Amino acid sequence: LGTKMVQSPLAPPLSKMLVMADESQCVQEILVVTAMLSVPSIFFRPKDRAEEADAAREKFFVPESDHLTLLNVYQQWKKNGYQSGWASEHYLHAKSLKKVREVRAQLEDICKQQSMPLTSCGQEWDIVRRCICAGYFHNASKLRGIGEYVNLLYKLPCHLHPTSALYGLGFTPDYVVYHEVCYTTKEYMQQVTAVDPHWLAEMGPMFFSIKERGTDLAAQRRQDAEDQKAMEWTMQLKQDLEKKEQLEANERFSAQKFKLATTGVRKATAKKVALPERSDDSDSSDRRPNRTQNKAKGRRMIVK
């Protein structure tokens, strides 16, 4: 990678963008972006026609990227035959655009010398954003507030410039990369592009890594609360099951103890008593009638 980068007379980020463009097959688009970044601003804003200039500039905006906005400007200028009058009508510096065309031609010659095919990705501009992320991942910033970012490596605060295509959108991207920082009343980022955090982890694994958690703090808190409730419910269910098992074990133990205590108890049974045998003489005497008793019974009957 370093051998390929030193073969082009560009700054390291721009050189790496060009090398990645060769691998991603979007060389023509990256040549335009590189040439645009190599010249001063192509937009001008007269004080007496500031609103008209801002409206003309917004027509070229690509919401995801200032780099892609520059690419769009060049493509529109090319479609209109590289006319200076068209550039002036849209508040563009015709001289700067001509300089861009010259720089692009020089870079194209360098690519031909290196046997680099001039491929194009058409309208698949996400590929271009990925190459931009590869060159400027060291300038990656994370959203900290409304329009306010912080550099992930140096922890320096930076802000979106009011002229940026990302400024004033209905949403603000969580991660961006920028070309440079301009110090005025605040630290403003120049030429900003929204990127996917997975691209940062892929292009700069020595600096960045992905944690599989939500980036939304409110959603993260809700998820943590749900996880806590689920864990508490599981623990309560486990405790209830343990209590139930303990009660069943106590019942089984009590029943077994009662059985052990009643083992060996016999029911009371009536015992047969053997009577002494009588002799025949005693039996005959018992069978004889008692005359005294008979006489007593006769008297009772007479009384009645």
mmCIF file of all heavy atoms in Angstrom, residues 54 60 90 179-180 201 222 239-240 245 272:
data_model
loop_
_atom_site.group_PDB
_atom_site.id
_atom_site.type_symbol
_atom_site.label_atom_id
_atom_site.label_comp_id
_atom_site.label_asym_id
_atom_site.label_seq_id
_atom_site.Cartn_x
_atom_site.Cartn_y
_atom_site.Cartn_z
ATOM 1 N N ASP A 54 -26.786 31.413 -1.885
ATOM 2 C CA ASP A 54 -27.080 30.262 -1.028
ATOM 3 C C ASP A 54 -28.100 29.329 -1.686
ATOM 4 O O ASP A 54 -27.967 28.098 -1.610
ATOM 5 C CB ASP A 54 -27.591 30.739 0.321
ATOM 6 C CG ASP A 54 -26.521 31.467 1.127
ATOM 7 O OD1 ASP A 54 -25.331 31.274 0.832
ATOM 8 O OD2 ASP A 54 -26.894 32.228 2.048
ATOM 9 N N PHE A 60 -26.984 22.054 -5.561
ATOM 10 C CA PHE A 60 -25.948 21.039 -5.805
ATOM 11 C C PHE A 60 -25.733 20.113 -4.609
ATOM 12 O O PHE A 60 -24.958 19.164 -4.708
ATOM 13 C CB PHE A 60 -24.611 21.722 -6.147
ATOM 14 C CG PHE A 60 -24.644 22.556 -7.384
ATOM 15 C CD1 PHE A 60 -24.656 23.940 -7.309
ATOM 16 C CD2 PHE A 60 -24.655 21.968 -8.638
ATOM 17 C CE1 PHE A 60 -24.672 24.718 -8.447
ATOM 18 C CE2 PHE A 60 -24.675 22.730 -9.792
ATOM 19 C CZ PHE A 60 -24.687 24.113 -9.696
ATOM 20 N N HIS A 90 -24.425 30.211 -11.671
ATOM 21 C CA HIS A 90 -24.651 29.401 -10.472
ATOM 22 C C HIS A 90 -23.668 29.752 -9.354
ATOM 23 O O HIS A 90 -23.461 28.949 -8.435
ATOM 24 C CB HIS A 90 -24.543 27.918 -10.817
ATOM 25 C CG HIS A 90 -25.658 27.433 -11.700
ATOM 26 N ND1 HIS A 90 -25.639 27.606 -13.077
ATOM 27 C CD2 HIS A 90 -26.828 26.808 -11.415
ATOM 28 C CE1 HIS A 90 -26.739 27.078 -13.603
ATOM 29 N NE2 HIS A 90 -27.480 26.598 -12.609
ATOM 30 N N HIS A 179 -12.186 16.855 5.914
ATOM 31 C CA HIS A 179 -10.917 17.118 5.232
ATOM 32 C C HIS A 179 -9.960 17.902 6.118
ATOM 33 O O HIS A 179 -8.774 17.575 6.231
ATOM 34 C CB HIS A 179 -11.192 17.858 3.921
ATOM 35 C CG HIS A 179 -9.967 18.264 3.175
ATOM 36 N ND1 HIS A 179 -9.023 17.364 2.739
ATOM 37 C CD2 HIS A 179 -9.507 19.499 2.792
ATOM 38 C CE1 HIS A 179 -8.047 17.996 2.109
ATOM 39 N NE2 HIS A 179 -8.313 19.296 2.132
ATOM 40 N N GLU A 180 -10.467 18.962 6.745
ATOM 41 C CA GLU A 180 -9.638 19.794 7.604
ATOM 42 C C GLU A 180 -10.539 20.575 8.549
ATOM 43 O O GLU A 180 -11.765 20.575 8.411
ATOM 44 C CB GLU A 180 -8.777 20.749 6.772
ATOM 45 C CG GLU A 180 -9.579 21.686 5.898
ATOM 46 C CD GLU A 180 -8.716 22.517 4.977
ATOM 47 O OE1 GLU A 180 -7.485 22.299 4.987
ATOM 48 O OE2 GLU A 180 -9.258 23.368 4.252
ATOM 49 N N ALA A 201 -14.037 0.836 11.504
ATOM 50 C CA ALA A 201 -13.396 -0.342 12.097
ATOM 51 C C ALA A 201 -12.649 -1.158 11.047
ATOM 52 O O ALA A 201 -11.634 -1.793 11.354
ATOM 53 C CB ALA A 201 -14.462 -1.210 12.777
ATOM 54 N N ARG A 222 -33.260 1.729 27.928
ATOM 55 C CA ARG A 222 -34.459 0.882 27.919
ATOM 56 C C ARG A 222 -34.090 -0.591 27.813
ATOM 57 O O ARG A 222 -34.675 -1.445 28.488
ATOM 58 C CB ARG A 222 -35.370 1.283 26.746
ATOM 59 C CG ARG A 222 -36.064 2.616 26.928
ATOM 60 C CD ARG A 222 -37.181 2.781 25.917
ATOM 61 N NE ARG A 222 -36.698 2.763 24.552
ATOM 62 C CZ ARG A 222 -36.330 3.847 23.882
ATOM 63 N NH1 ARG A 222 -36.399 5.047 24.450
ATOM 64 N NH2 ARG A 222 -35.919 3.760 22.641
ATOM 65 N N GLN A 239 -36.211 -18.924 42.709
ATOM 66 C CA GLN A 239 -36.438 -18.989 44.146
ATOM 67 C C GLN A 239 -37.769 -19.668 44.476
ATOM 68 O O GLN A 239 -37.850 -20.463 45.422
ATOM 69 C CB GLN A 239 -36.405 -17.582 44.731
ATOM 70 C CG GLN A 239 -35.037 -16.922 44.692
ATOM 71 C CD GLN A 239 -35.066 -15.510 45.223
ATOM 72 O OE1 GLN A 239 -36.123 -15.012 45.626
ATOM 73 N NE2 GLN A 239 -33.907 -14.848 45.212
ATOM 74 N N ASP A 240 -38.809 -19.377 43.692
ATOM 75 C CA ASP A 240 -40.112 -20.024 43.914
ATOM 76 C C ASP A 240 -40.020 -21.532 43.712
ATOM 77 O O ASP A 240 -40.592 -22.317 44.485
ATOM 78 C CB ASP A 240 -41.159 -19.433 42.972
ATOM 79 C CG ASP A 240 -41.453 -17.975 43.300
ATOM 80 O OD1 ASP A 240 -41.123 -17.547 44.421
ATOM 81 O OD2 ASP A 240 -42.000 -17.269 42.426
ATOM 82 N N GLU A 245 -39.797 -26.999 45.983
ATOM 83 C CA GLU A 245 -39.083 -28.265 46.163
ATOM 84 C C GLU A 245 -38.771 -28.515 47.635
ATOM 85 O O GLU A 245 -38.837 -29.651 48.112
ATOM 86 C CB GLU A 245 -37.799 -28.239 45.334
ATOM 87 C CG GLU A 245 -38.043 -28.251 43.819
ATOM 88 C CD GLU A 245 -36.750 -28.159 43.052
ATOM 89 O OE1 GLU A 245 -35.691 -28.021 43.705
ATOM 90 O OE2 GLU A 245 -36.784 -28.216 41.805
ATOM 91 N N LYS A 272 -58.800 -65.798 74.458
ATOM 92 C CA LYS A 272 -59.750 -66.826 74.911
ATOM 93 C C LYS A 272 -59.261 -67.431 76.242
ATOM 94 O O LYS A 272 -58.120 -67.827 76.345
ATOM 95 C CB LYS A 272 -59.880 -67.933 73.871
ATOM 96 C CG LYS A 272 -60.507 -67.432 72.582
ATOM 97 C CD LYS A 272 -60.671 -68.582 71.607
ATOM 98 C CE LYS A 272 -61.304 -68.087 70.308
ATOM 99 N NZ LYS A 272 -61.469 -69.212 69.343
#
